[in-house]
Amino acid sequence: LNLIEWSAQNIVAVALDGSVCLWNHTSAEVLKLLEMEQIADYVSLVWTEEENYLAVGTSNAELQLWDVQQQKHLRTMTNHSSCVGCLGWNSYIPSSGAQSGHIHHHDVRVAKRHVATLAGHTQEVCGVKWSLDGCYLASGGNDNLVNIWPSGEFACVKIFNAVKAVAWCPWQSSVLATGGGTSDRHIRVWNVSSGTCLHAVDAHSQVSSILWSPASKEFVSGHGFADNQLDGQATSSSGHTGRVLNMTMSPDGVTVASVAADKTLRLWRCFEMDPIKQKQREKAKSVRSSSIHPGIP
């Protein structure tokens, strides 16, 4: 499941069983955005590109869209037939992966919102990520495959061996990192244009999440059995007593938040921000906020 995500507005969204809580990292304020009706229900989540909206997938096969500023439920999409466990976002298109092995695209601008179904996995979809340029969607499944889907097409063009962890390189749009499960335990870096494996590293444990750092041009990985830790290029961070389930990075690229099966959320200072790059980032953010497209209708 997508259990945690950190927005550019410094808001951490956390899925706790059947509820979604928002934690303002600046003010430390905590707000419960939603809670499912049934005690056995559970949810996953992803911020939209505008970051005032949150897409929420549920165990009862729904995809919900919420206005965070207004704390308002906007709509529910019900095309899935099973639990929606992972989510991605590309412009106006939320992409949701389900236990059935299907991925659905919805266009939130139109009345008939379901616009495509991708059927490339034979088991549960457990990770979906759009490349930063919006040209490719990577999906990982419990069938030990990662499929690469070109935008606007319904057939995958590349198939790699991996499971849940999929992460696009921020500075090379055709480079993808994937992480294998308990039987594989490898991190591989791929060129999706050519289909070649650029690097392969034995992580010695299940890989559950990968995050790239644009500042230091390296990545940190989260692990389950048997290490339950975070690994970077030079250091390892241990503290969780259960397997790491999901990770997210702060807007400044310095801090990583992890959630684990030990029912804790932990913050790790994994990277250092270059002062020059920090100024460039703040300038770029200012330009982006002044030109962002209108809100979701």
Side-chain angles (χ1 to χ4, degrees), residues 62-110:
E62 292 181 349
L63 176 61
Q64 301 179 5
L65 188 63
W66 286 77
D67 184 324
V68 172
Q69 287 187 335
Q70 302 296 323
Q71 299 176 39
K72 181 181 178 182
H73 175 221
L74 299 178
R75 65 194 59 160
T76 296
M77 290 155 272
T78 58
N79 297 94
H80 282 291
S81 60
S82 59
C83 167
V84 179
C86 53
L87 302 163
W89 196 273
N90 183 20
S91 187
Y92 284 104
I93 307 294
S95 302
S96 50
Q99 202 170 45
S100 63
H102 293 95
I103 300 169
H104 288 176
H105 294 328
H106 295 83
D107 189 332
V108 298
R109 299 170 297 177
V110 298

Side-chain angles (χ1 to χ4, degrees), residues 1-7 11-16 20-21 23 43-47 54 129 209 211 244-249 256-260 264-267:
L1 302 177
N2 284 29
L3 299 174
I4 184 170
E5 188 157 288
W6 207 324
S7 79
I11 306 295
V12 182
V14 186
L16 301 170
V20 173
C21 292
W23 173 45
V43 297
S44 58
L45 52 83
V46 67
W47 287 104
L54 197 68
K129 290 287 176 65
S209 189
L211 295 174
V244 178
L245 301 173
N246 212 192
M247 299 191 307
T248 187
M249 187 177 291
V256 170
S258 60
V259 290
T264 66
L265 185 158
R266 296 172 183 259
L267 300 179

Side-chain angles (χ1 to χ4, degrees), residues 18-36:
S19 63
V20 173
C21 292
L22 306 176
W23 173 45
N24 188 314
H25 187 249
T26 303
S27 67
E29 179 185 3
V30 177
L31 167 72
K32 180 179 284 189
L33 180 67
L34 69 95
E35 186 166 9
M36 300 292 288

Side-chain angles (χ1 to χ4, degrees), residues 273-291:
M273 174 60 72
D274 186 316
I276 297 176
K277 291 182 178 179
Q278 174 69 10
K279 291 182 179 179
Q280 293 173 341
R281 180 180 176 277
E282 291 174 352
K283 182 178 179 180
K285 181 180 176 182
S286 175
V287 172
R288 179 180 178 274
S289 63
S290 65
S291 60

Side-chain angles (χ1 to χ4, degrees), residues 172-250:
Q172 289 182 282
S173 60
S174 61
V175 173
L176 178 75
T178 65
T182 306
S183 61
D184 179 68
R185 304 186 182 192
H186 279 71
I187 296 173
R188 294 179 174 86
V189 180
W190 305 86
N191 182 322
V192 299
S193 298
S194 63
T196 56
C197 180
L198 305 176
H199 303 285
V201 178
D202 187 349
H204 303 291
S205 62
Q206 176 192 48
V207 186
S208 59
S209 189
I210 298 173
L211 295 174
W212 290 90
S213 168
S216 59
K217 296 204 169 180
E218 59 184 281
F219 59 73
V220 60
S221 54
H223 299 271
F225 180 80
D227 294 338
N228 303 327
Q229 66 184 21
L230 278 66
D231 283 336
Q233 182 171 317
T235 61
S236 295
S237 302
S238 58
H240 283 299
T241 57
R243 68 187 185 101
V244 178
L245 301 173
N246 212 192
M247 299 191 307
T248 187
M249 187 177 291
S250 62

